[in-house]
Amino acid sequence: MKKISLLILLFIIYGFGHKYYVSTSLYDFKEDLGSLQITIRVFKDDFTEIIKKKYQIDLSLNKDLNSNEIKSKISDYLLSNLGIYLDNNKHEIFYLGSEEKNEMLIFYLELESIPSFKSIELKNTILFDLFEKQQNIIHLKKGLNKRSFILRKDAPNVSFEF
């Protein structure tokens, strides 16, 4: 019984004591709409920390993520850390808004009126300026094609061919 208790204690100390720095992004091409819909999920405490550091705004005190001031700062940060090139042409991303679910912040962005494409290059450096070990998991969906990749500080871009 003591061995089991010790194993559980070690698991708690080492298993939960290490913090992971990760975000996930889904890039979903809707050919019928001619748009690329982007959903990004980050841990609230991590994103709150970067917004406080960059803009001196404490998101934990302000619950309205879609107020004009907060929305503007979130948009500035996200758009300065994201890039999308379709067939080697850079496209402008539009920030739509955000919501909070549990301990996550979910951001919605979109590229509108885009033609079908054969190649895409994605840049995602979100939270790289805050955490050395930040990893951004990218999921790309175009029709029946699905691809995934992990971006790190030393590899902030990924290219896919269809």
Side-chain angles (χ1 to χ4, degrees):
M1 185 68 174
K2 287 184 181 183
K3 287 183 181 181
I4 292 173
S5 297
L6 181 61
L7 284 174
I8 291 172
L9 180 61
L10 288 174
F11 178 74
I12 290 171
I13 291 171
Y14 292 106
F16 294 112
H18 176 72
K19 179 154 177 156
Y20 293 96
Y21 302 105
V22 67
S23 77
T24 59
S25 303
L26 172 62
Y27 294 76
D28 191 2
F29 180 63
K30 303 287 188 185
E31 196 160 4
D32 56 331
L33 300 174
S35 72
L36 183 64
Q37 298 175 353
I38 305 161
T39 305
I40 299 172
R41 296 175 185 270
V42 298
F43 286 105
K44 181 181 177 185
D45 60 336
D46 296 343
F47 197 78
T48 298
E49 189 174 337
I50 194 64
I51 294 299
K52 188 172 185 178
K53 179 180 174 184
K54 288 223 173 261
Y55 304 107
Q56 294 74 48
I57 295 174
D58 191 348
L59 293 178
S60 64
L61 299 177
N62 189 329
K63 297 294 182 192
D64 186 8
L65 294 176
N66 291 306
S67 72
N68 288 337
E69 179 190 15
I70 303 297
K71 191 172 180 178
S72 171
K73 299 303 182 194
I74 291 172
S75 176
D76 286 347
Y77 181 77
L78 291 175
L79 297 180
S80 68
N81 285 280
L82 297 171
I84 298 178
Y85 297 83
L86 303 175
D87 295 329
N88 296 317
N89 297 311
K90 185 173 173 102
H91 287 264
E92 186 176 355
I93 305 168
F94 295 98
Y95 175 70
L96 303 174
S98 61
E99 68 177 314
E100 183 179 342
K101 285 190 180 175
N102 301 320
E103 295 300 313
M104 302 295 290
L105 292 176
I106 305 168
F107 303 110
Y108 302 99
L109 303 101
E110 184 174 32
L111 270 70
E112 300 175 315
S113 304
I114 58 173
S116 184
F117 55 91
K118 294 185 191 277
S119 69
I120 185 170
E121 180 181 344
L122 304 173
K123 172 190 127 184
N124 182 334
T125 58
I126 292 171
L127 299 175
F128 286 175
D129 46 351
L130 191 60
F131 303 115
E132 282 295 316
K133 295 189 179 218
Q134 176 70 30
Q135 296 182 346
N136 296 331
I137 300 169
I138 304 295
H139 301 290
L140 176 63
K141 186 175 163 187
K142 181 183 180 202
L144 299 176
N145 293 309
K146 294 178 184 176
R147 306 270 176 97
S148 295
F149 196 79
I150 297 176
L151 299 179
R152 294 177 193 69
K153 194 168 191 169
D154 62 342
N157 300 323
V158 64
S159 297
F160 296 106
E161 298 283 330
F162 293 97

